[in-house]
Amino acid sequence: QVHTQNKMIRLLKRDYENDSSKPSINAYWFYNEFFKIVPNSWLFLYNGTEDTDDRAKELTEGLPMLSYQAMAFALLYTPAAILSLFLLLPVMISLYVSSMFRVGEESKMGDIEHLQVVMIRMVHFVNRLAYLNENIEGDFWLYDPIPFLAKNHVQVASRLLATIRTGVEWKKLDFAIGKVVEVGGD
């Protein structure tokens, strides 16, 4: 317990001491960053309104390189990625088919360009996860993972079910604050 307490003190000093000579820690929320990988659609509208312009800019930058540490991390999570892809395949196919029948909406990017940007964002996401010393998940702590699990897998899910049950229109799940953002809400 003394080791855990000392580690917590060291982490608090690292995160909250005001030393301008050291680079600041980049805090992020896992699911917020994960969902930003997927382009906006009629079903999935998680990115901002300027998402297509942002994706076009990212496309000009090209695919970033993965370090050996990031590659090892990606290999570790390959089974989870394959399972997620398999489970999401019907949704992705329905989004693709429905996009072919949307009239009046012209995309600035083609399907291949969208896939390239998805790959670029996935590489950025894996790099962020691989270097947890410079990037910290806002809710996750190895010695107490319960807040991360409770907020992301219980609280947000229960809020979404309550919103669906009441019939209130909603626009996105905000994992950073653990709520369902309703249309016309804050």
Side-chain angles (χ1 to χ4, degrees):
Q1 183 165 359
V2 173
H3 173 69
T4 304
Q5 184 176 6
N6 290 338
K7 182 168 176 81
M8 182 64 158
I9 290 169
R10 191 171 71 252
L11 290 172
L12 286 171
K13 285 181 181 178
R14 177 195 73 183
D15 295 343
Y16 294 105
E17 275 188 352
N18 191 9
D19 185 3
S20 60
S21 65
K22 294 181 181 176
S24 62
I25 299 294
N26 182 22
Y28 71 98
W29 283 267
F30 180 86
Y31 286 108
N32 278 1
E33 297 303 317
F34 180 72
F35 288 142
K36 288 178 184 176
I37 294 171
V38 180
N40 287 340
S41 66
W42 64 271
L43 176 66
F44 198 86
L45 184 62
Y46 203 82
N47 296 295
T49 56
E50 302 295 321
D51 183 52
T52 304
D53 295 333
D54 295 341
R55 286 177 178 275
K57 288 176 192 172
E58 289 179 50
L59 193 58
T60 62
E61 296 170 5
L63 189 65
M65 295 299 296
L66 276 176
S67 67
Y68 289 119
Q69 182 175 348
M71 282 188 241
F73 197 83
L75 285 175
L76 179 69
Y77 280 92
T78 297
I82 291 170
L83 179 63
S84 298
L85 181 65
F86 178 73
L87 292 173
L88 287 173
L89 197 56
V91 173
M92 292 186 301
I93 290 171
S94 67
L95 286 174
Y96 181 73
V97 169
S98 68
S99 71
M100 294 187 312
F101 296 107
R102 301 211 59 182
V103 179
E105 287 186 26
E106 289 297 321
S107 178
K108 296 178 183 176
M109 297 170 55
D111 297 334
I112 300 298
E113 287 86 9
H114 276 298
L115 286 175
Q116 288 172 334
V117 175
V118 166
M119 291 300 298
I120 290 169
R121 288 189 176 187
M122 286 174 67
V123 168
H124 285 299
F125 184 73
V126 168
N127 278 330
R128 176 171 280 169
L129 291 178
Y131 293 99
L132 292 176
N133 291 336
E134 295 106 23
N135 301 291
I136 185 168
E137 208 289 327
D139 295 323
F140 185 75
W141 189 44
L142 186 60
Y143 297 103
D144 187 15
I146 300 299
F148 173 80
L149 295 171
K151 185 175 90 173
N152 293 321
H153 299 95
V154 177
Q155 179 180 341
V156 173
S158 68
R159 296 289 80 224
L160 179 60
L161 288 174
T163 302
I164 291 171
R165 190 183 74 238
T166 60
V168 175
E169 188 177 353
W170 58 281
K171 59 182 174 182
K172 83 174 197 175
L173 302 173
D174 193 339
F175 289 91
I177 56 177
K179 70 178 257 186
V180 177
V181 180
E182 297 172 354
V183 172
D186 53 351

